[in-house]
Coordinates of all heavy atoms in Angstrom, one line a residue:
M1 N 74.4 114.9 107.3 CA 73.5 115.2 106.1 C 72.8 116.5 106.5 O 72.2 116.7 107.6 CB 72.4 114.2 105.9 CG 72.9 112.9 105.3 SD 73.2 113.3 103.5 CE 72.5 111.7 102.8
P2 N 72.8 117.5 105.6 CA 72.2 118.7 105.8 C 70.7 118.6 105.6 O 70.3 117.9 104.7 CB 72.8 119.8 104.8 CG 73.3 118.8 103.7 CD 73.7 117.5 104.3
H3 N 70.0 119.4 106.4 CA 68.6 119.4 106.3 C 68.1 120.7 105.8 O 68.7 121.8 106.2 CB 67.9 119.2 107.6 CG 67.9 117.8 108.2 ND1 69.0 116.9 107.9 CD2 67.1 117.0 108.8 CE1 68.7 115.7 108.5 NE2 67.6 115.8 109.1
Y4 N 67.2 120.7 104.9 CA 66.6 121.9 104.4 C 65.1 121.9 104.7 O 64.5 121.0 104.3 CB 66.8 122.1 102.9 CG 68.4 122.1 102.5 CD1 69.0 121.0 102.1 CD2 69.1 123.3 102.7 CE1 70.4 121.0 101.9 CE2 70.3 123.4 102.4 CZ 71.1 122.2 102.0 OH 72.4 122.3 101.7
E5 N 64.7 123.0 105.2 CA 63.3 123.1 105.5 C 62.6 124.0 104.5 O 63.1 125.1 104.1 CB 63.1 123.7 106.9 CG 61.7 123.6 107.4 CD 61.5 124.1 108.8 OE1 62.3 123.5 109.7 OE2 60.7 124.9 109.1
Y6 N 61.5 123.6 103.9 CA 60.8 124.3 102.9 C 59.4 124.5 103.3 O 58.8 123.7 104.0 CB 60.9 123.6 101.6 CG 62.3 123.6 101.0 CD1 63.1 122.5 101.3 CD2 62.7 124.5 100.2 CE1 64.3 122.3 100.7 CE2 63.9 124.4 99.6 CZ 64.8 123.3 99.9 OH 66.1 123.3 99.4
F7 N 58.8 125.6 102.8 CA 57.4 125.8 102.9 C 56.7 125.8 101.5 O 57.1 126.6 100.7 CB 57.2 127.2 103.6 CG 55.7 127.6 103.8 CD1 54.9 127.0 104.7 CD2 55.2 128.6 102.9 CE1 53.5 127.4 104.8 CE2 53.8 128.9 103.0 CZ 53.0 128.3 103.9
C8 N 55.7 125.0 101.4 CA 55.0 124.9 100.1 C 53.9 126.0 100.1 O 53.0 126.0 101.0 CB 54.5 123.6 99.8 SG 53.5 123.5 98.3
K9 N 53.9 126.9 99.1 CA 52.8 127.9 99.1 C 51.6 127.3 98.6 O 50.5 128.0 98.7 CB 53.3 129.1 98.2 CG 54.6 129.7 98.7 CD 55.0 130.8 97.8 CE 56.4 131.5 98.3 NZ 56.9 132.3 97.3
V10 N 51.6 126.2 97.9 CA 50.4 125.6 97.4 C 49.6 124.9 98.5 O 48.4 125.0 98.7 CB 50.7 124.6 96.2 CG1 49.4 124.0 95.7 CG2 51.4 125.4 95.2
C11 N 50.3 124.0 99.2 CA 49.7 123.3 100.3 C 49.7 124.0 101.7 O 49.1 123.5 102.6 CB 50.4 121.9 100.6 SG 51.0 121.0 99.2
N12 N 50.5 125.0 101.7 CA 50.7 125.7 103.0 C 51.2 124.6 104.0 O 50.8 124.7 105.2 CB 49.4 126.4 103.6 CG 49.0 127.5 102.7 OD1 49.8 128.3 102.4 ND2 47.7 127.6 102.4
K13 N 52.1 123.8 103.6 CA 52.8 122.9 104.5 C 54.3 123.1 104.6 O 54.8 123.5 103.5 CB 52.4 121.5 104.0 CG 51.0 121.0 104.3 CD 50.8 119.7 103.8 CE 49.4 119.2 104.1 NZ 49.1 117.8 103.4
T14 N 54.8 122.8 105.7 CA 56.3 122.8 105.8 C 56.8 121.4 105.8 O 56.2 120.5 106.3 CB 56.7 123.5 107.1 OG1 56.0 124.7 107.2 CG2 58.1 123.7 107.3
F15 N 57.9 121.3 105.1 CA 58.5 119.9 105.0 C 60.0 120.0 105.0 O 60.5 121.1 104.7 CB 58.0 119.2 103.8 CG 58.3 119.9 102.5 CD1 59.4 119.7 101.7 CD2 57.4 120.9 102.0 CE1 59.6 120.3 100.5 CE2 57.6 121.5 100.8 CZ 58.7 121.3 100.1
T16 N 60.7 119.1 105.4 CA 62.1 119.0 105.5 C 62.7 118.1 104.6 O 62.2 116.9 104.4 CB 62.5 118.7 106.9 OG1 61.9 119.6 107.8 CG2 64.0 118.9 107.1
L17 N 63.7 118.4 103.8 CA 64.4 117.5 103.0 C 65.9 117.4 103.3 O 66.5 118.4 103.8 CB 64.3 118.1 101.5 CG 62.9 118.2 100.9 CD1 63.1 118.8 99.5 CD2 62.2 116.8 100.8
T18 N 66.4 116.3 103.1 CA 67.8 116.1 103.3 C 68.4 115.9 101.9 O 68.1 115.0 101.2 CB 68.1 114.8 104.2 OG1 67.4 114.9 105.4 CG2 69.5 114.6 104.4
L19 N 69.3 116.9 101.6 CA 69.8 116.9 100.2 C 71.3 117.1 100.3 O 71.8 117.7 101.2 CB 69.2 118.0 99.4 CG 67.8 118.0 99.2 CD1 67.3 119.3 98.5 CD2 67.3 116.8 98.4
H20 N 72.0 116.6 99.3 CA 73.4 117.0 99.2 C 73.5 118.4 98.7 O 72.5 118.9 98.0 CB 74.1 116.1 98.1 CG 74.1 114.6 98.7 ND1 75.0 114.2 99.7 CD2 73.4 113.5 98.2 CE1 74.8 112.9 99.9 NE2 73.9 112.5 99.0
I21 N 74.5 119.0 99.0 CA 74.7 120.5 98.6 C 74.5 120.6 97.1 O 73.8 121.5 96.6 CB 76.0 121.0 99.0 CG1 76.1 121.0 100.6 CG2 76.3 122.5 98.5 CD1 75.1 121.9 101.3
A22 N 75.2 119.8 96.3 CA 75.2 119.9 94.9 C 73.7 119.8 94.3 O 73.3 120.5 93.5 CB 76.1 118.8 94.2
E23 N 73.0 118.8 95.0 CA 71.7 118.6 94.6 C 70.8 119.8 94.9 O 69.9 120.2 94.2 CB 71.1 117.4 95.4 CG 70.1 116.5 94.8 CD 69.7 115.3 95.5 OE1 70.5 115.0 96.5 OE2 68.7 114.7 95.3
H24 N 71.1 120.3 96.0 CA 70.3 121.6 96.5 C 70.6 122.8 95.5 O 69.6 123.5 95.3 CB 70.7 121.9 98.0 CG 70.2 123.2 98.4 ND1 71.0 124.2 98.7 CD2 68.9 123.5 98.7 CE1 70.1 125.2 99.1 NE2 68.9 124.8 99.1
D25 N 71.8 122.9 95.2 CA 72.1 124.0 94.2 C 71.6 123.8 92.9 O 71.4 124.8 92.2 CB 73.6 124.2 94.2 CG 74.2 124.8 95.6 OD1 73.4 125.3 96.3 OD2 75.4 124.7 95.8
A26 N 71.4 122.6 92.5 CA 71.0 122.4 91.1 C 69.7 123.0 90.8 O 69.5 123.7 89.8 CB 70.9 120.8 90.9
E27 N 68.7 122.7 91.6 CA 67.3 123.3 91.2 C 66.6 123.2 92.5 O 66.8 122.5 93.4 CB 66.7 122.5 90.1 CG 66.5 121.1 90.4 CD 65.8 120.4 89.3 OE1 64.6 120.7 89.0 OE2 66.4 119.4 88.7
N28 N 65.4 123.9 92.5 CA 64.5 123.9 93.6 C 63.9 122.5 93.6 O 63.4 122.0 92.7 CB 63.4 124.9 93.4 CG 63.7 126.2 94.2 OD1 64.7 126.3 94.8 ND2 62.7 127.0 94.3
P29 N 63.9 121.9 94.8 CA 63.2 120.6 94.9 C 61.6 120.8 94.8 O 61.1 121.9 94.9 CB 63.6 120.1 96.3 CG 64.0 121.3 97.1 CD 64.5 122.3 96.0
A30 N 61.0 119.7 94.6 CA 59.5 119.8 94.6 C 58.9 119.4 95.8 O 59.4 118.7 96.6 CB 59.0 118.8 93.5
C31 N 57.6 120.0 96.0 CA 56.9 119.6 97.2 C 56.5 118.1 97.2 O 56.0 117.7 96.3 CB 55.7 120.5 97.4 SG 54.6 119.9 98.6
P32 N 56.8 117.4 98.3 CA 56.5 116.0 98.3 C 55.0 115.8 98.4 O 54.5 114.7 98.1 CB 57.2 115.4 99.6 CG 57.3 116.6 100.5 CD 57.5 117.8 99.5
H33 N 54.2 116.8 98.8 CA 52.7 116.6 98.9 C 52.0 116.8 97.6 O 51.1 116.0 97.2 CB 52.2 117.6 99.9 CG 52.9 117.4 101.3 ND1 52.7 116.3 102.1 CD2 53.7 118.2 101.9 CE1 53.4 116.5 103.2 NE2 54.0 117.5 103.2
C34 N 52.4 117.9 96.8 CA 51.7 118.2 95.6 C 52.6 118.3 94.3 O 52.1 118.4 93.3 CB 51.0 119.5 95.8 SG 52.1 120.9 95.8
G35 N 53.9 118.2 94.6 CA 54.8 118.2 93.5 C 55.1 119.5 92.9 O 55.8 119.7 91.9
S36 N 54.6 120.6 93.6 CA 54.8 122.0 93.1 C 56.2 122.5 93.4 O 56.8 122.1 94.4 CB 53.8 122.9 93.8 OG 54.1 124.2 93.5
H37 N 56.7 123.3 92.5 CA 58.0 123.9 92.8 C 57.8 125.4 93.5 O 58.7 126.2 93.6 CB 58.9 124.1 91.5 CG 59.4 122.8 91.1 ND1 60.7 122.3 91.5 CD2 58.9 121.8 90.3 CE1 60.8 121.1 91.0 NE2 59.8 120.8 90.2
N38 N 56.6 125.6 93.7 CA 56.2 127.0 94.3 C 56.5 126.9 95.8 O 55.5 126.9 96.6 CB 54.8 127.3 94.0 CG 54.5 128.8 94.3 OD1 55.3 129.5 94.6 ND2 53.2 129.1 94.3
I39 N 57.7 126.9 96.1 CA 58.1 126.7 97.6 C 59.1 127.8 97.8 O 59.8 128.2 97.0 CB 58.6 125.3 97.8 CG1 59.9 125.0 97.0 CG2 57.6 124.2 97.5 CD1 60.5 123.7 97.3
E40 N 59.3 127.9 99.1 CA 60.4 128.8 99.6 C 61.1 128.1 100.7 O 60.6 127.3 101.5 CB 59.8 130.2 100.1 CG 58.9 130.1 101.3 CD 58.4 131.5 101.7 OE1 58.4 132.4 100.8 OE2 58.0 131.7 102.8
Q41 N 62.4 128.4 100.9 CA 63.1 127.8 101.8 C 63.1 128.4 103.2 O 63.1 129.7 103.2 CB 64.7 127.7 101.3 CG 65.5 126.9 102.3 CD 66.9 126.7 101.7 OE1 67.3 127.2 100.7 NE2 67.7 125.9 102.4
R42 N 63.0 127.6 104.2 CA 63.0 128.1 105.5 C 64.3 127.6 106.1 O 64.8 126.6 105.7 CB 61.9 127.6 106.4 CG 60.5 128.1 105.9 CD 60.3 129.5 106.4 NE 59.1 130.0 106.0 CZ 57.8 129.8 106.5 NH1 57.7 129.0 107.4 NH2 56.8 130.4 106.0
W43 N 64.8 128.4 107.1 CA 66.0 128.0 107.7 C 65.7 127.2 109.0 O 65.1 127.7 110.0 CB 66.9 129.2 108.0 CG 67.4 129.8 106.7 CD1 66.8 130.8 106.1 CD2 68.3 129.3 105.8 NE1 67.4 131.1 104.9 CE2 68.3 130.2 104.7 CE3 69.2 128.2 105.9 CZ2 69.2 129.9 103.6 CZ3 70.0 128.0 104.7 CH2 70.0 128.9 103.6
S44 N 66.0 125.9 108.9 CA 65.7 124.9 110.0 C 66.4 125.3 111.3 O 67.6 125.6 111.3 CB 65.9 123.5 109.6 OG 65.8 122.7 110.7
T45 N 65.7 125.4 112.4 CA 66.2 125.6 113.6 C 67.1 124.5 114.1 O 68.0 124.6 114.9 CB 65.2 125.9 114.7 OG1 64.3 124.7 114.6 CG2 64.4 127.1 114.4
F46 N 66.9 123.3 113.5 CA 67.8 122.1 113.9 C 69.2 122.3 113.4 O 70.1 121.7 114.1 CB 67.1 120.9 113.1 CG 65.8 120.5 113.6 CD1 64.7 120.7 112.7 CD2 65.4 120.2 114.9 CE1 63.4 120.5 113.0 CE2 64.1 120.0 115.2 CZ 63.1 120.1 114.4
S47 N 69.5 123.0 112.4 CA 70.8 123.2 111.9 C 71.5 124.4 112.5 O 72.6 124.7 112.2 CB 70.8 123.2 110.4 OG 70.1 124.3 109.9
A48 N 70.8 125.1 113.3 CA 71.4 126.3 113.9 C 72.6 126.1 114.7 O 73.5 126.9 114.9 CB 70.3 127.0 114.7
V49 N 72.7 124.9 115.3 CA 73.9 124.6 116.1 C 75.2 124.5 115.2 O 76.2 124.9 115.7 CB 73.6 123.2 116.8 CG1 74.9 122.9 117.7 CG2 72.5 123.4 117.8
T50 N 75.1 123.9 114.1 CA 76.2 123.6 113.3 C 76.6 124.8 112.4 O 77.7 125.0 112.0 CB 76.1 122.4 112.5 OG1 74.8 122.4 111.8 CG2 76.1 121.2 113.3
S51 N 75.5 125.6 111.9 CA 75.9 126.6 111.1 C 75.3 127.9 111.7 O 74.1 128.1 111.8 CB 75.1 126.4 109.7 OG 73.7 126.3 109.8
R52 N 76.2 128.8 112.0 CA 75.8 130.0 112.7 C 76.0 131.2 111.7 O 76.2 132.4 112.1 CB 76.6 130.2 114.0 CG 76.4 129.2 115.0 CD 74.9 129.5 115.6 NE 74.8 130.7 116.2 CZ 73.7 131.2 116.8 NH1 72.6 130.5 116.7 NH2 73.7 132.4 117.5
K53 N 76.1 131.0 110.4 CA 76.2 132.1 109.5 C 74.9 132.9 109.5 O 73.8 132.4 109.6 CB 76.3 131.5 108.1 CG 77.5 130.6 107.8 CD 77.5 130.0 106.4 CE 78.3 128.7 106.5 NZ 77.9 127.9 105.3
S54 N 75.1 134.2 109.4 CA 74.1 135.1 109.4 C 73.2 135.0 108.1 O 73.9 135.1 107.0 CB 74.5 136.5 109.6 OG 75.3 136.8 108.6
A55 N 72.0 134.7 108.2 CA 71.2 134.4 107.0 C 70.9 135.8 106.3 O 69.9 136.2 106.2 CB 69.9 133.7 107.4
Ligands
ZN101 ZN1 52.8 121.3 98.1

């Protein structure tokens, strides 16, 4: 399962979601803390082993 790390600009919190690729491409997920879509994706260091694509 791919992990996606996000940072919420509203809560100033980082959270990790596990999503299917299709789900991820469909739309921006919401922050689990406040429900805002005002988030930006971070590239999790946990997945650096499996995906070495240059971001
Ligand atoms: Zn939030």
